[in-house]
Structures are given as C-alpha cells and as structure tokens.
Amino acid sequence: MGRQSGQGRFSKSERRETIKATARNRKPKEGFGEIISIDRAPQRMKPLIPMTDRQEELMILIPNKSLTFADGVAGTGKSAVAIGVGLTMLFAGEIDQMVLTRSDMSIDGKWAPVPGNEEEKYAHLFAAMRDNFLKFITKSHLDNLEKNGKVRFEVLANVLGKTYDRALLIFDEGQCSTVAQTKAFLSRMGKGTRAVIAGDWRDQAYMGKYNGMQDAVYRFRDNPKVGRVVFQVEDIVRDDFVKDVILAYRNVSDSDEDQLQTEANDDGKIDASLSLFQNVA
C-alpha cells in the first residue's frame, strides 16, 4: 500500500509536536521532581536536599563565588553536592555546561596499563562522578547531556589550551594534584564560569604535603571571590563506622576537630591564620 494522503495525513512538524506533547504530559518516574526544560527537551531531576549544615553552606557558595573549596574528610557528600548544584544551575540556564576533571594519579603514583581507547582507559577515573549524577538524573538523561556537550568528563591533561565559558568546573580529589595542575585547571575559566575544588588537603597519601589543593587554599586565603567549606568527621553521611575509620588513620597531632573548624570563617571566606601554611614561602 502507498502512503496515506489527504486530510488523514499528518505533516512531519505536526507529528513532532504530537511526540513532544506526549513527552511533556508523561508522568515522571517515582521520586523525580518537576519537568525542567533545557534545549526544548523535557528533563527530570531529583531535588538537591542538604543533609548537613555544611552541605547547605556549599550549595550557597558555589553559585556566588568564582572558586569554592569543598574541603574535608571523605564521605561528607562534597562531590555529590557540587554535581547537584551544577545540574540545578544548568537546568536553570545559569550555565551552559558542566566540566568535571580529575588528575590521573593513583594512590601509589602508578597506573597499570589499561587496554582500549582514551575513553575506556580513563573510565575508572570518572566512575564515582557518574554515580553521583545518577543520584539526581537517570543514566539515559546523563548520556543525552554528554552527547549534547552539556556535561563533559575531561582528564586534567586534556584541559590545557581550552577555555570554558559559562560553565561549572569541578575538580574532584583535588589533593591528588600538583601545584602546576591546579594552576592549569583554574586558568581555564572563561566568562561566567565558576570552579569547585573538592578534596581533603589533610590526605597526604597521594602527593605529600603542599599538594595542589593545599597550595591553592594558601594562595587564595584572602581573596573575597573565593569561598571554603570545611567538612568534619561529624558531617560524614556514610555509615557511622566511616567516622571511626577516618579517626583511626589520622595522626594524633591532627585528631583535634576544633583545629579544622578554626580554619574557615562563618561566611565561607578562608581564614588568613592557616597553621598548616605558616612556613610556606
């Protein structure tokens, strides 16, 4: 049989509008919030709800500071909150893209050879980041954002020479960086761009003292465009035993949580009296 003709035939534009209308009216999956429009496509995102006071502080600082340090112990939700804020800004049209990066540094400073193309070689670096995205959106949604260039996972070595305008740059595990790497990351910021460095500068298992994150905290300690939230053991949102793990592996001299608290002002500005950096030139 041939094609339908006459009044019973819909034009291509009419069929497209019918499909869009059906998608808009489709009931969201359980647990997902209202439909948010981006690039004329329906998007759904679970709401970002802070679990601790410091998570709430981080949510406020990221959109309002050029650079924000999400600093502190593991398991406090630093990276997840940064990603949730980024998605919220993206869907609100406040930024055009999210760029997430990590240094390709392992705990012992070495990587075993991994077969495959570049994307396959570095997939393990971004696995945790992708998991954090899935706390807010579906995998197919994330795949679509990547396909459209709205979310980009970049190995730190690949950001050189690039400029990211109207973006949120997230540097995860910042304590695994060198000073030169952190400088390279921050100098990629274009117009309307914000940056987040998440990590724990106390963790010296990777680069030792004065890694790139530590150095950056010191250099920007008096800059009003920079904010810092210091997460403590009490802010851990994983199993309670993780608190015991963190304290068990911490040096005796570093066990006092009050020391960490004094290094951040209530407004998120870095305190100038960082004892860790008093002897740094």
Side-chain angles (χ1 to χ4, degrees):
M1 296 179 63
R3 293 182 178 178
Q4 293 182 347
S5 60
Q7 295 181 351
R9 180 181 177 184
F10 291 98
S11 67
K12 184 180 293 185
S13 61
E14 288 174 330
R15 291 197 301 271
R16 187 182 299 116
E17 290 303 320
T18 300
I19 293 172
K20 288 182 178 180
T22 301
R24 292 190 198 100
N25 296 326
R26 189 166 53 227
K27 186 177 180 181
K29 292 182 179 180
E30 184 177 354
F32 282 75
E34 64 182 31
I35 295 176
I36 305 173
S37 178
I38 177 174
D39 286 345
R40 303 175 65 185
Q43 308 291 344
R44 301 180 180 91
M45 174 183 171
K46 289 183 180 179
L48 173 58
I49 301 174
M51 300 177 66
T52 65
D53 289 342
R54 289 185 178 85
Q55 285 190 3
E56 186 173 7
E57 292 174 17
L58 186 60
M59 290 169 57
I60 295 171
L61 283 180
I62 291 175
N64 295 295
K65 297 289 185 179
S66 295
L67 169 63
T68 302
F69 292 101
D71 185 8
V73 298
T76 52
K78 304 183 296 293
S79 301
V81 170
I83 287 172
V85 171
L87 285 171
T88 302
M89 295 173 69
L90 183 67
F91 295 155
E94 298 173 9
I95 57 175
D96 295 331
Q97 59 180 329
M98 295 175 62
V99 181
L100 301 99
T101 189
R102 285 186 63 177
S103 171
D104 56 345
M105 181 67 69
S106 66
I107 293 177
D108 58 4
K110 301 177 182 179
W111 285 120
V114 178
N117 57 33
E118 181 175 312
E119 182 178 352
E120 293 168 337
K121 287 179 183 293
Y122 294 111
H124 62 284
L125 284 178
F126 301 114
M129 287 185 176
R130 292 180 187 278
D131 288 343
N132 280 325
F133 270 95
L134 300 184
K135 294 176 181 178
F136 303 103
I137 58 177
T138 63
K139 183 180 183 302
S140 60
H141 188 172
L142 176 59
D143 292 341
N144 184 56
L145 291 175
E146 286 191 72
K147 180 179 178 181
N148 294 330
K150 298 296 183 181
V151 173
R152 302 169 64 174
F153 296 94
E154 302 263 23
V155 180
L156 188 58
N158 291 346
V159 305
L160 294 178
K162 296 180 180 179
T163 301
Y164 301 103
D165 294 318
R166 281 180 51 83
L168 178 64
L169 310 183
I170 300 177
F171 189 172
D172 199 25
E173 302 295 343
Q175 77 277 2
C176 300
S177 66
T178 65
V179 174
Q181 287 174 329
T182 303
K183 176 185 176 183
F185 166 76
L186 292 175
S187 60
R188 302 305 96 199
M189 296 173 64
K191 296 292 185 180
T193 290
R194 300 287 185 265
V196 178
I197 298 180
D200 181 4
W201 58 251
R202 284 190 177 206
D203 193 341
Q204 299 171 8
Y206 304 87
M207 305 298 296
K209 287 189 175 183
Y210 314 132
N211 56 54
M213 183 175 182
Q214 291 175 334
D215 178 81
V217 168
Y218 174 73
R219 290 177 187 272
F220 294 105
R221 66 193 184 280
D222 294 321
N223 194 317
K225 298 178 182 178
V226 178
R228 181 173 178 235
V229 179
V230 182
F231 290 81
Q232 302 183 43
V233 171
E234 66 192 48
D235 299 308
I236 291 175
V237 294
R238 293 177 184 166
D239 188 88
D240 283 344
F241 183 67
V242 176
K243 298 178 182 179
D244 299 328
V245 172
I246 297 297
L247 292 175
Y249 282 89
R250 178 170 288 176
N251 293 331
V252 175
S253 60
D254 291 335
S255 62
D256 188 359
E257 286 301 307
D258 292 335
Q259 175 188 348
L260 196 59
Q261 173 61 25
T262 59
E263 294 164 0
N265 291 333
D266 291 338
D267 60 359
K269 182 180 177 182
I270 297 174
D271 195 321
S273 60
L274 284 174
S275 59
L276 178 64
F277 302 106
Q278 286 178 351
N279 297 321
V280 179

